[in-house]
Amino acid sequence: MRLLKVATCNLNQWAMDFDCNLKNIKESIVRAKEGGAVIRLGPELEITGYGSEDHFLELDTVAHAWECLKELLLGDWTDDILCSFGMPVIKGSERYNCQVLCLNRKIIMIRPKMWLANDGNYRELRWFTAWKQNDQLEEFHLPSDISEALQQQTVPFGYGFMQFLDTAVAAEVCEELFTPIPPHAELALNGVEVFMNASGSHHQLRKLDLRMRAFIGATHTRGGVYMYSNHQGCDGGRLYYDGCACVVVNGDVVAQGSQFSLKDVEVVVAQIDLDAVASLRGSISSFQEQASRKQHVSSVYVPYKLCKPFNLQMSLSSPLKISYHSPEEEIAFGPGCWLWDYLRRSGASGFLLPLSGGADSSSVAGIVGCMCQLVVKEIANGDEQVKSDAIRIGNYTDGQFPTDSKEFAKRIFYTVFMGSENSSDATRSRAKMLADEIGSWHLDVSIDTVVSAFLSLFQTLTGKRPRYKVDGGSNIENLGLQNVQARIRMVLAFMLASLLPWVHNKPGFYLVLGSSNVDEGLRGYLTKYDCSSADINPIGSISKQDLRIFLRWAATHLGFSSLAEIEAAPPTAELEPIRSNYSQLDEVDMGMTYDELSVYGRLRKIFRCGPVSMFKNLCFGWGSKLSPSEVADKVKYFFKYYSINRHKMTVITPSYHAESYSPEDNRFDLRQFLYNSRWPYQFRKIDQLVNELSVGKDAPASSNGVGVVAAGSADPKAGL
């Protein structure tokens, strides 16, 4: 037997905070050594933080990374343990995303990333060059100060592996695993038994299974030990890196770390028998045949043994059942951990949320309540860093610290019901009930006097006073009256967030939380600069469907029972007067259901459909219940209002990224914001298709894009 103990980790790094990052790296090495590991793998670009983005273009960033690496190599951190560190490296005139492999205070080799992530949220080609010389290792001259300190002038640089006395080890960096021909396939044929994947992978609902299947598939048919390390937390942007460091042996997961956690460092250790890898490979005839005609991959010889012989005192890691969270749990824990990182790193003293008693703002309140529960639980488990942060943020004194989540929420969470004459008693009551269950400091404010003052000013200026549509006003008047309410709430929220801590003799300021969901953003069903405008938004890329599932789950599992009643209530903006024969409803205003919006969103973004392709797809999907003419009207209606309102995405609040069809304009969904909302060419093509499909069956499709969908209705928030 060749017994090998390996350690991989989740690290909560912070982009450009080299002190924080170096501290976490050192702690992970200490824990790996304490666990008896001889290999330690950290996440991609762990020294700088993965989210440093355009800071990678600064020479300072690369220089600081080398300085941190020098500190690691001059100390005893790499003594008797192979460590893989992620950092940027400049070779010649190119900048590479590299894994620097070190042992016993020396750099063994530098492995540049060959296939860069450059879609969705990733822009690696903006900062790095992909390594293309795969046929041989090149000589890299270390920076002079590093060379002098280490007494090492050059190191091998490029694609290759390390050949130890008793096994072969190689790096595979994040995106490379998911390419059509991943490096590990070729490396396995060259005898590599241990693969180290340093990753910077973000959370997305229902994504973890895809990642785990890739790890399993990498070693199931060709054998091997696959180590995976990831960031975990908010490193300064919209993404939450969701950990799940793991070790897979011959297709079986033998160690798995947490997906969501408040810990800064989590180390996962596994003990493996490498003879099991050799045995499996020897039993697969096709593997043997392909290995006999493999393409040679360069290697670096390392005269060092990593394995230990047979020893009954060393137990092997056994296969585990993979741990997956339900989507409801992902919504609770992912944004909850992201909010905690943002809060403790921003210098703020808490959050303020305009709480309407509706599903969206109540979801945000529930997530903050979950965050408070996680903090108290982690403190009870002995996490001194979480305890220290909570004492500082909650302004505890005399040795006190949070022991009750409701008491902690009272210190760090304001909720405000900003009612008007259009608000119902039901939503006011639900907001108060939920605030009491969570423990927030709750305020009930009427904005009617402020609205009236604005309208009086307008009347003084123009001589006219607008009326709601139900009172005989026009669509323009109706829209203006709704928008002034919404925007007053935004101004009031920011004023309260900055001044309430002063009123209550608390230090600092509060962050304003937004609560618009991904479907409303896609449709533009929000007022520009209303309560959707905030400092951050934990649900901005979560669908209404998923939020409703979360509310039902949280009512039971988080102990916020009022969320069940909130989920059951029909969504309404409550910006128009309530009459015996009229009550404002979101789906009526939008002219489409939230379920339909989710379908449109996925087709538009995930399946890259324009109007014509979406029409064709929906003719198949909805053909059993709608005619081609009706499908055409729905598609045209959606694209009309999507394009009219696209400009709102340019100022949308930074939101936690959780959904692959997010319309977030700044980083993820890059499109123009000035459209010809009539889409004349595309809509003519749809009309032609409808007429061809409907000969003798239906009347021609309407060309105005409204048709059967909410004909004659006015979008209360269109264009504004």
Side-chain angles (χ1 to χ4, degrees):
M1 301 182 80
R2 291 176 294 145
L3 300 181
L4 178 71
K5 186 169 277 191
V6 300
T8 182
C9 56
N10 299 325
L11 297 187
N12 193 339
Q13 307 297 77
W14 191 2
M16 299 302 293
D17 188 337
F18 293 91
D19 287 338
C20 165
N21 298 344
L22 193 57
K23 174 177 173 287
N24 290 345
I25 291 169
K26 289 178 177 178
E27 178 62 25
S28 71
I29 296 173
V30 168
R31 295 190 193 179
K33 287 185 174 182
E34 288 174 349
V38 294
I39 298 178
R40 175 268 179 198
L41 171 65
E44 184 178 11
L45 295 168
E46 61 181 317
I47 293 178
T48 57
Y50 184 84
S52 297
E53 300 186 327
D54 279 4
H55 287 293
F56 287 126
L57 304 178
E58 301 166 4
L59 293 178
D60 278 2
T61 303
V62 180
H64 297 333
W66 277 112
E67 289 160 3
C68 291
L69 181 67
K70 181 171 72 171
E71 183 173 335
L72 290 168
L73 290 171
L74 289 179
D76 61 358
W77 304 102
T78 62
D79 289 0
D80 300 318
I81 186 168
L82 172 66
C83 290
S84 178
F85 301 118
M87 59 178 276
V89 174
I90 294 176
K91 183 179 188 296
S93 57
E94 304 96 41
R95 185 185 301 101
Y96 294 100
N97 176 350
C98 294
Q99 290 303 117
V100 182
L101 300 145
C102 307
L103 174 67
N104 290 332
R105 311 190 189 199
K106 297 292 183 182
I107 300 173
I108 297 175
M109 68 175 291
I110 298 176
R111 164 66 155 85
K113 192 172 181 179
M114 299 186 296
W115 306 107
L116 301 178
N118 207 58
D119 53 13
N121 286 294
Y122 297 102
R123 298 284 181 277
E124 289 185 15
L125 279 171
R126 180 181 174 96
W127 311 302
F128 301 110
T129 299
W131 179 254
K132 302 177 181 69
Q133 287 74 40
N134 296 342
D135 55 340
Q136 62 181 1
L137 290 167
E138 297 186 2
E139 190 175 65
F140 175 76
H141 290 267
L142 293 171
S144 57
D145 57 328
I146 305 298
S147 175
E148 292 173 9
L150 302 182
Q151 295 298 298
Q152 184 179 5
Q153 282 71 45
T154 63
V155 296
F157 187 103
Y159 171 54
F161 62 92
M162 296 165 288
Q163 181 63 62
F164 289 85
L165 294 174
D166 46 8
T167 188
V169 181
E172 183 169 71
V173 190
C174 197
E175 177 74 10
E176 294 174 350
L177 168 65
F178 302 98
T179 57
I181 307 176
H184 68 254
E186 182 177 54
L187 290 166
L189 296 176
N190 276 266
V192 173
E193 295 179 309
V194 181
F195 306 95
M196 300 186 296
N197 187 309
S199 183
S201 188
H202 68 276
H203 173 238
Q204 194 165 286
L205 288 173
R206 305 174 179 89
K207 175 187 175 185
L208 181 59
D209 177 58
L210 299 176
R211 200 187 303 163
M212 297 303 294
R213 276 189 281 161
F215 305 149
I216 292 168
T219 61
H220 179 69
T221 58
R222 59 180 67 89
V225 176
Y226 206 93
M227 300 170 60
Y228 172 78
S229 176
N230 195 14
H231 296 267
Q232 186 174 62
C234 167
D235 79 342
R238 294 163 173 81
L239 304 183
Y240 178 82
Y241 299 93
D242 62 338
C244 271
C246 63
V247 180
V248 180
V249 181
N250 292 349
D252 291 321
V253 177
V254 299
Q256 180 184 358
S258 65
Q259 186 175 13
F260 309 109
S261 173
L262 302 186
K263 295 183 177 73
D264 282 343
V265 178
E266 181 181 1
V267 175
V268 176
V269 178
Q271 183 145 283
I272 302 123
D273 175 17
L274 287 182
D275 280 354
V277 175
S279 177
L280 176 62
R281 290 178 174 178
S283 69
I284 303 172
S285 176
S286 58
F287 183 92
Q288 297 286 302
E289 291 299 317
Q290 290 188 354
S292 69
R293 55 190 297 272
K294 62 183 176 291
Q295 183 172 341
H296 176 73
V297 177
S298 300
S299 64
V300 177
Y301 176 66
V302 186
Y304 186 87
K305 285 188 176 183
L306 293 174
C307 300
K308 295 190 180 330
F310 174 71
N311 186 338
L312 283 177
Q313 294 180 335
M314 301 171 65
S315 59
L316 295 177
S317 299
S318 302
L320 305 173
K321 181 180 179 182
I322 301 174
S323 175
Y324 292 113
H325 288 286
S326 67
E328 305 94 290
E329 292 172 326
E330 291 184 78
I331 292 171
F333 302 142
C337 293
W338 182 76
L339 284 176
W340 177 247
D341 278 341
Y342 201 101
L343 176 62
R344 70 190 181 109
R345 288 172 169 170
S346 67
S349 302
F351 298 119
L352 182 139
L353 171 68
L355 182 59
S356 70
D360 293 336
S361 62
S362 297
S363 294
V364 174
I367 290 169
V368 176
C370 177
M371 181 203 79
C372 293
Q373 293 178 5
L374 291 172
V375 168
V376 170
K377 181 180 178 181
E378 204 59 46
I379 292 173
N381 290 337
D383 193 309
E384 291 299 321
Q385 183 62 58
V386 174
K387 182 178 178 180
S388 173
D389 288 332
I391 290 172
R392 173 179 54 83
I393 295 167
N395 198 30
Y396 288 90
T397 57
D398 301 325
Q400 294 181 318
F401 57 88
T403 57
D404 178 79
S405 63
K406 293 181 68 172
E407 186 275 334
F408 185 53
K410 181 72 74 174
R411 289 173 175 263
I412 63 128
F413 189 30
Y414 285 117
T415 51
V416 188
F417 181 83
M418 302 183 192
S420 73
E421 61 183 2
N422 301 322
S423 303
S424 67
D425 291 337
T427 52
R428 175 179 279 105
S429 173
R430 291 176 197 134
K432 177 66 166 65
M433 191 181 309
L434 178 59
D436 288 344
E437 291 172 348
I438 292 170
S440 65
W441 192 300
H442 187 66
L443 300 174
D444 191 325
V445 181
S446 173
I447 64 170
D448 287 333
T449 55
V450 186
V451 174
S452 179
F454 268 92
L455 295 180
S456 295
L457 175 62
F458 180 83
Q459 189 173 11
T460 300
L461 289 172
T462 66
K464 291 187 175 183
R465 193 175 185 93
R467 295 176 299 167
Y468 290 102
K469 190 173 181 180
V470 294
D471 295 328
S474 64
N475 286 333
I476 293 175
E477 294 170 77
N478 199 58
L479 179 60
L481 286 169
Q482 293 182 71
N483 286 338
V484 72
Q485 295 171 72
R487 288 171 177 147
I488 284 170
R489 286 174 172 140
M490 185 269 289
V491 174
L492 180 58
F494 276 96
M495 186 181 80
L496 292 173
S498 62
L499 291 178
L500 277 178
W502 166 71
V503 170
H504 292 139
N505 295 314
K506 296 180 178 181
F509 61 96
Y510 276 40
L511 295 165
V512 178
L513 297 179
S515 58
S516 58
N517 63 60
V518 69
D519 299 321
E520 290 171 347
L522 176 66
R523 169 62 171 75
Y525 186 68
L526 53 96
T527 301
K528 204 172 187 179
Y529 306 118
D530 68 347
C531 281
S532 64
S533 297
D535 290 308
I536 51 175
N537 180 358
I539 66 165
S541 72
I542 302 176
S543 72
K544 194 77 162 190
Q545 291 172 309
D546 283 333
L547 288 175
R548 296 186 71 171
I549 295 170
F550 163 73
L551 289 172
R552 292 195 293 269
W553 175 87
T556 301
H557 293 83
L558 297 181
F560 309 143
S561 58
S562 62
L563 291 177
E565 181 182 344
I566 291 169
E567 187 277 329
T572 173
E574 291 196 333
L575 292 170
E576 295 183 72
I578 299 171
R579 297 288 188 265
S580 59
N581 61 346
Y582 178 76
S583 181
Q584 186 179 22
L585 296 173
D586 287 357
E587 293 185 333
V588 174
D589 280 348
M590 293 191 298
M592 59 191 72
T593 67
Y594 282 108
D595 288 351
E596 288 173 338
L597 265 173
S598 288
V599 174
Y600 299 145
R602 287 183 168 84
L603 287 173
R604 182 197 71 97
K605 179 66 177 177
I606 301 173
F607 296 98
R608 299 163 294 280
C609 288
V612 176
S613 296
M614 186 180 291
F615 165 74
K616 291 177 179 178
N617 275 275
L618 289 178
C619 280
F620 286 110
W622 293 349
S624 61
K625 58 181 180 180
L626 296 174
S627 68
S629 177
E630 291 171 323
V631 172
D633 286 334
K634 284 181 175 288
V635 169
K636 288 188 282 187
Y637 189 81
F638 163 71
F639 272 99
K640 174 183 176 180
Y641 282 101
Y642 156 74
S643 54
I644 285 174
N645 290 301
R646 178 66 191 185
H647 65 97
K648 297 177 184 179
M649 293 299 97
T650 63
V651 296
I652 200 70
T653 295
S655 301
Y656 179 99
H657 179 86
E659 182 56 76
S660 55
Y661 71 89
S662 170
E664 190 268 312
D665 177 82
N666 295 293
R667 299 294 177 91
F668 183 68
D669 188 42
L670 307 181
R671 301 167 196 251
Q672 74 214 63
F673 54 87
L674 177 62
Y675 281 89
N676 183 343
S677 61
R678 294 182 298 276
W679 298 80
Y681 186 89
Q682 293 91 331
F683 285 5
R684 279 201 312 273
K685 295 290 291 184
I686 292 176
D687 291 344
Q688 292 171 10
L689 290 168
V690 170
N691 292 334
E692 292 171 6
L693 294 169
S694 305
V695 173
K697 295 180 180 179
D698 295 305
S702 58
S703 60
N704 61 8
V706 177
V708 299
V709 186
S713 69
D715 181 354
K717 302 175 183 177
L720 297 171

mmCIF file with all atom_site columns, all heavy atoms in Angstrom, residues 23-35:
data_model
loop_
_atom_site.group_PDB
_atom_site.id
_atom_site.type_symbol
_atom_site.label_atom_id
_atom_site.label_alt_id
_atom_site.label_comp_id
_atom_site.label_asym_id
_atom_site.label_entity_id
_atom_site.label_seq_id
_atom_site.pdbx_PDB_ins_code
_atom_site.Cartn_x
_atom_site.Cartn_y
_atom_site.Cartn_z
_atom_site.occupancy
_atom_site.B_iso_or_equiv
_atom_site.pdbx_formal_charge
_atom_site.auth_seq_id
_atom_site.auth_comp_id
_atom_site.auth_asym_id
_atom_site.auth_atom_id
_atom_site.pdbx_PDB_model_num
ATOM 1   N N   . LYS A 1 23 ? -2.996  35.435 6.117  1.00 0.00 ? 23 LYS A N   1
ATOM 2   C CA  . LYS A 1 23 ? -3.365  34.860 7.411  1.00 0.00 ? 23 LYS A CA  1
ATOM 3   C C   . LYS A 1 23 ? -4.171  33.572 7.217  1.00 0.00 ? 23 LYS A C   1
ATOM 4   O O   . LYS A 1 23 ? -3.915  32.551 7.874  1.00 0.00 ? 23 LYS A O   1
ATOM 5   C CB  . LYS A 1 23 ? -4.182  35.875 8.207  1.00 0.00 ? 23 LYS A CB  1
ATOM 6   C CG  . LYS A 1 23 ? -4.749  35.365 9.521  1.00 0.00 ? 23 LYS A CG  1
ATOM 7   C CD  . LYS A 1 23 ? -5.470  36.495 10.257 1.00 0.00 ? 23 LYS A CD  1
ATOM 8   C CE  . LYS A 1 23 ? -6.196  35.983 11.506 1.00 0.00 ? 23 LYS A CE  1
ATOM 9   N NZ  . LYS A 1 23 ? -7.397  35.204 11.167 1.00 0.00 ? 23 LYS A NZ  1
ATOM 10  N N   . ASN A 1 24 ? -5.129  33.596 6.299  1.00 0.00 ? 24 ASN A N   1
ATOM 11  C CA  . ASN A 1 24 ? -5.950  32.410 6.050  1.00 0.00 ? 24 ASN A CA  1
ATOM 12  C C   . ASN A 1 24 ? -5.131  31.278 5.433  1.00 0.00 ? 24 ASN A C   1
ATOM 13  O O   . ASN A 1 24 ? -5.323  30.104 5.764  1.00 0.00 ? 24 ASN A O   1
ATOM 14  C CB  . ASN A 1 24 ? -7.123  32.759 5.135  1.00 0.00 ? 24 ASN A CB  1
ATOM 15  C CG  . ASN A 1 24 ? -8.159  33.629 5.816  1.00 0.00 ? 24 ASN A CG  1
ATOM 16  O OD1 . ASN A 1 24 ? -8.179  33.764 7.036  1.00 0.00 ? 24 ASN A OD1 1
ATOM 17  N ND2 . ASN A 1 24 ? -9.030  34.236 5.026  1.00 0.00 ? 24 ASN A ND2 1
ATOM 18  N N   . ILE A 1 25 ? -4.232  31.630 4.531  1.00 0.00 ? 25 ILE A N   1
ATOM 19  C CA  . ILE A 1 25 ? -3.375  30.607 3.910  1.00 0.00 ? 25 ILE A CA  1
ATOM 20  C C   . ILE A 1 25 ? -2.521  29.915 4.969  1.00 0.00 ? 25 ILE A C   1
ATOM 21  O O   . ILE A 1 25 ? -2.420  28.676 5.009  1.00 0.00 ? 25 ILE A O   1
ATOM 22  C CB  . ILE A 1 25 ? -2.494  31.248 2.817  1.00 0.00 ? 25 ILE A CB  1
ATOM 23  C CG1 . ILE A 1 25 ? -3.354  31.674 1.616  1.00 0.00 ? 25 ILE A CG1 1
ATOM 24  C CG2 . ILE A 1 25 ? -1.409  30.269 2.361  1.00 0.00 ? 25 ILE A CG2 1
ATOM 25  C CD1 . ILE A 1 25 ? -2.614  32.548 0.611  1.00 0.00 ? 25 ILE A CD1 1
ATOM 26  N N   . LYS A 1 26 ? -1.910  30.715 5.830  1.00 0.00 ? 26 LYS A N   1
ATOM 27  C CA  . LYS A 1 26 ? -1.065  30.135 6.886  1.00 0.00 ? 26 LYS A CA  1
ATOM 28  C C   . LYS A 1 26 ? -1.876  29.237 7.815  1.00 0.00 ? 26 LYS A C   1
ATOM 29  O O   . LYS A 1 26 ? -1.427  28.150 8.201  1.00 0.00 ? 26 LYS A O   1
ATOM 30  C CB  . LYS A 1 26 ? -0.387  31.254 7.682  1.00 0.00 ? 26 LYS A CB  1
ATOM 31  C CG  . LYS A 1 26 ? 0.700   31.990 6.910  1.00 0.00 ? 26 LYS A CG  1
ATOM 32  C CD  . LYS A 1 26 ? 1.294   33.125 7.745  1.00 0.00 ? 26 LYS A CD  1
ATOM 33  C CE  . LYS A 1 26 ? 2.426   33.818 7.008  1.00 0.00 ? 26 LYS A CE  1
ATOM 34  N NZ  . LYS A 1 26 ? 2.989   34.953 7.787  1.00 0.00 ? 26 LYS A NZ  1
ATOM 35  N N   . GLU A 1 27 ? -3.075  29.698 8.178  1.00 0.00 ? 27 GLU A N   1
ATOM 36  C CA  . GLU A 1 27 ? -3.917  28.894 9.064  1.00 0.00 ? 27 GLU A CA  1
ATOM 37  C C   . GLU A 1 27 ? -4.284  27.568 8.402  1.00 0.00 ? 27 GLU A C   1
ATOM 38  O O   . GLU A 1 27 ? -4.311  26.523 9.058  1.00 0.00 ? 27 GLU A O   1
ATOM 39  C CB  . GLU A 1 27 ? -5.179  29.677 9.426  1.00 0.00 ? 27 GLU A CB  1
ATOM 40  C CG  . GLU A 1 27 ? -6.179  28.927 10.305 1.00 0.00 ? 27 GLU A CG  1
ATOM 41  C CD  . GLU A 1 27 ? -5.622  28.553 11.670 1.00 0.00 ? 27 GLU A CD  1
ATOM 42  O OE1 . GLU A 1 27 ? -4.688  29.230 12.139 1.00 0.00 ? 27 GLU A OE1 1
ATOM 43  O OE2 . GLU A 1 27 ? -6.127  27.577 12.273 1.00 0.00 ? 27 GLU A OE2 1
ATOM 44  N N   . SER A 1 28 ? -4.545  27.595 7.094  1.00 0.00 ? 28 SER A N   1
ATOM 45  C CA  . SER A 1 28 ? -4.894  26.349 6.397  1.00 0.00 ? 28 SER A CA  1
ATOM 46  C C   . SER A 1 28 ? -3.710  25.383 6.375  1.00 0.00 ? 28 SER A C   1
ATOM 47  O O   . SER A 1 28 ? -3.887  24.160 6.479  1.00 0.00 ? 28 SER A O   1
ATOM 48  C CB  . SER A 1 28 ? -5.362  26.652 4.970  1.00 0.00 ? 28 SER A CB  1
ATOM 49  O OG  . SER A 1 28 ? -4.298  27.068 4.139  1.00 0.00 ? 28 SER A OG  1
ATOM 50  N N   . ILE A 1 29 ? -2.489  25.913 6.241  1.00 0.00 ? 29 ILE A N   1
ATOM 51  C CA  . ILE A 1 29 ? -1.302  25.046 6.251  1.00 0.00 ? 29 ILE A CA  1
ATOM 52  C C   . ILE A 1 29 ? -1.110  24.428 7.631  1.00 0.00 ? 29 ILE A C   1
ATOM 53  O O   . ILE A 1 29 ? -0.804  23.230 7.758  1.00 0.00 ? 29 ILE A O   1
ATOM 54  C CB  . ILE A 1 29 ? -0.054  25.834 5.824  1.00 0.00 ? 29 ILE A CB  1
ATOM 55  C CG1 . ILE A 1 29 ? -0.193  26.318 4.372  1.00 0.00 ? 29 ILE A CG1 1
ATOM 56  C CG2 . ILE A 1 29 ? 1.196   24.970 5.961  1.00 0.00 ? 29 ILE A CG2 1
ATOM 57  C CD1 . ILE A 1 29 ? 0.919   27.258 3.930  1.00 0.00 ? 29 ILE A CD1 1
ATOM 58  N N   . VAL A 1 30 ? -1.303  25.246 8.669  1.00 0.00 ? 30 VAL A N   1
ATOM 59  C CA  . VAL A 1 30 ? -1.177  24.733 10.039 1.00 0.00 ? 30 VAL A CA  1
ATOM 60  C C   . VAL A 1 30 ? -2.148  23.574 10.255 1.00 0.00 ? 30 VAL A C   1
ATOM 61  O O   . VAL A 1 30 ? -1.781  22.511 10.779 1.00 0.00 ? 30 VAL A O   1
ATOM 62  C CB  . VAL A 1 30 ? -1.440  25.857 11.066 1.00 0.00 ? 30 VAL A CB  1
ATOM 63  C CG1 . VAL A 1 30 ? -1.594  25.277 12.473 1.00 0.00 ? 30 VAL A CG1 1
ATOM 64  C CG2 . VAL A 1 30 ? -0.312  26.873 11.035 1.00 0.00 ? 30 VAL A CG2 1
ATOM 65  N N   . ARG A 1 31 ? -3.390  23.760 9.843  1.00 0.00 ? 31 ARG A N   1
ATOM 66  C CA  . ARG A 1 31 ? -4.396  22.709 10.046 1.00 0.00 ? 31 ARG A CA  1
ATOM 67  C C   . ARG A 1 31 ? -4.102  21.481 9.190  1.00 0.00 ? 31 ARG A C   1
ATOM 68  O O   . ARG A 1 31 ? -4.345  20.348 9.616  1.00 0.00 ? 31 ARG A O   1
ATOM 69  C CB  . ARG A 1 31 ? -5.792  23.249 9.738  1.00 0.00 ? 31 ARG A CB  1
ATOM 70  C CG  . ARG A 1 31 ? -6.234  24.344 10.688 1.00 0.00 ? 31 ARG A CG  1
ATOM 71  C CD  . ARG A 1 31 ? -7.697  24.666 10.488 1.00 0.00 ? 31 ARG A CD  1
ATOM 72  N NE  . ARG A 1 31 ? -8.062  25.906 11.155 1.00 0.00 ? 31 ARG A NE  1
ATOM 73  C CZ  . ARG A 1 31 ? -9.283  26.426 11.130 1.00 0.00 ? 31 ARG A CZ  1
ATOM 74  N NH1 . ARG A 1 31 ? -10.253 25.815 10.467 1.00 0.00 ? 31 ARG A NH1 1
ATOM 75  N NH2 . ARG A 1 31 ? -9.545  27.568 11.750 1.00 0.00 ? 31 ARG A NH2 1
ATOM 76  N N   . ALA A 1 32 ? -3.595  21.704 7.989  1.00 0.00 ? 32 ALA A N   1
ATOM 77  C CA  . ALA A 1 32 ? -3.240  20.566 7.131  1.00 0.00 ? 32 ALA A CA  1
ATOM 78  C C   . ALA A 1 32 ? -2.124  19.744 7.768  1.00 0.00 ? 32 ALA A C   1
ATOM 79  O O   . ALA A 1 32 ? -2.179  18.503 7.787  1.00 0.00 ? 32 ALA A O   1
ATOM 80  C CB  . ALA A 1 32 ? -2.824  21.062 5.752  1.00 0.00 ? 32 ALA A CB  1
ATOM 81  N N   . LYS A 1 33 ? -1.123  20.434 8.298  1.00 0.00 ? 33 LYS A N   1
ATOM 82  C CA  . LYS A 1 33 ? -0.030  19.723 8.963  1.00 0.00 ? 33 LYS A CA  1
ATOM 83  C C   . LYS A 1 33 ? -0.511  19.001 10.212 1.00 0.00 ? 33 LYS A C   1
ATOM 84  O O   . LYS A 1 33 ? -0.107  17.866 10.490 1.00 0.00 ? 33 LYS A O   1
ATOM 85  C CB  . LYS A 1 33 ? 1.087   20.705 9.317  1.00 0.00 ? 33 LYS A CB  1
ATOM 86  C CG  . LYS A 1 33 ? 1.903   21.187 8.116  1.00 0.00 ? 33 LYS A CG  1
ATOM 87  C CD  . LYS A 1 33 ? 3.056   22.068 8.575  1.00 0.00 ? 33 LYS A CD  1
ATOM 88  C CE  . LYS A 1 33 ? 3.975   22.436 7.423  1.00 0.00 ? 33 LYS A CE  1
ATOM 89  N NZ  . LYS A 1 33 ? 5.123   23.262 7.871  1.00 0.00 ? 33 LYS A NZ  1
ATOM 90  N N   . GLU A 1 34 ? -1.384  19.657 10.979 1.00 0.00 ? 34 GLU A N   1
ATOM 91  C CA  . GLU A 1 34 ? -1.924  19.011 12.171 1.00 0.00 ? 34 GLU A CA  1
ATOM 92  C C   . GLU A 1 34 ? -2.702  17.750 11.821 1.00 0.00 ? 34 GLU A C   1
ATOM 93  O O   . GLU A 1 34 ? -2.722  16.789 12.598 1.00 0.00 ? 34 GLU A O   1
ATOM 94  C CB  . GLU A 1 34 ? -2.838  19.992 12.922 1.00 0.00 ? 34 GLU A CB  1
ATOM 95  C CG  . GLU A 1 34 ? -2.093  21.118 13.618 1.00 0.00 ? 34 GLU A CG  1
ATOM 96  C CD  . GLU A 1 34 ? -3.031  22.147 14.233 1.00 0.00 ? 34 GLU A CD  1
ATOM 97  O OE1 . GLU A 1 34 ? -4.249  22.100 13.934 1.00 0.00 ? 34 GLU A OE1 1
ATOM 98  O OE2 . GLU A 1 34 ? -2.546  22.998 15.008 1.00 0.00 ? 34 GLU A OE2 1
ATOM 99  N N   . GLY A 1 35 ? -3.302  17.757 10.638 1.00 0.00 ? 35 GLY A N   1
ATOM 100 C CA  . GLY A 1 35 ? -4.027  16.574 10.189 1.00 0.00 ? 35 GLY A CA  1
ATOM 101 C C   . GLY A 1 35 ? -3.134  15.514 9.581  1.00 0.00 ? 35 GLY A C   1
ATOM 102 O O   . GLY A 1 35 ? -3.627  14.462 9.156  1.00 0.00 ? 35 GLY A O   1
#
